[in-house]
Amino acid sequence: MGLKDPRDYSSTFLSPIKSNELNNIKQGRTVPVKLKLTDELGHDAIGVEAKLYVTEVSDDGTLGSKEEAKSSGKANIGNLFRSAGNGKYIFNWNTKSLAKGMYQLSVEVDNYTLDTVQIDLR
């Protein structure tokens, strides 16, 4: 089986992060960013290297530079999600080094953005 085009995948954020809405999160805590990845047929996507990125959003909505998300502990390598089985992936996002404010989290596979969500660190 050959490599799939990253555009064939889709991702959905799972609780505690809510897709398609502004998420209020306390700055300084570790947030379990969970998602469900599926392929073009809706099957669980297994063995996918999904990465988490953080981009600061200024007051006027302008996006800053995209940075690799930092993890807490040793459960994640770099900004790579780890598999939780059945097409579910998790990343323990450490918000301690970030200032309070607005951010955009993005999930990428092979430099292709699958999904984004807005975060308000308070």
Side-chain angles (χ1 to χ4, degrees):
M1 188 170 124
L3 291 174
K4 289 190 180 222
D5 187 313
R7 290 172 295 208
D8 291 341
Y9 293 110
S10 61
S11 70
T12 306
F13 287 97
L14 303 173
S15 182
I17 304 278
K18 294 179 183 76
S19 292
N20 303 318
E21 65 180 78
L22 179 62
N23 289 268
N24 295 310
I25 291 175
K26 187 168 171 34
Q27 190 274 343
R29 68 174 283 233
T30 295
V31 181
V33 179
K34 301 174 187 173
L35 42 98
K36 172 85 171 169
L37 279 177
T38 54
D39 65 16
E40 71 278 11
L41 299 175
H43 299 127
D44 294 345
I46 310 294
V48 177
E49 286 200 353
K51 294 180 177 180
L52 185 65
Y53 291 91
V54 181
T55 306
E56 193 166 2
V57 181
S58 63
D59 292 340
D60 66 3
T62 309
L63 295 178
S65 60
K66 184 173 72 173
E67 307 285 340
E68 290 187 359
K70 306 240 183 311
S71 68
S72 293
K74 295 183 170 47
N76 296 90
I77 299 164
N79 65 332
L80 208 55
F81 280 89
R82 71 182 186 279
S83 175
N86 299 326
K88 292 187 174 130
Y89 292 80
I90 186 166
F91 184 91
N92 293 334
W93 180 39
N94 184 347
T95 66
K96 283 189 178 106
S97 65
L98 298 171
K100 292 181 179 182
M102 299 293 290
Y103 293 89
Q104 176 177 281
L105 289 183
S106 53
V107 176
E108 293 188 8
V109 173
D110 291 338
N111 299 316
Y112 177 77
T113 302
L114 294 180
D115 205 358
T116 61
V117 69
Q118 301 297 315
I119 304 289
D120 184 5
L121 280 187
R122 299 174 170 242

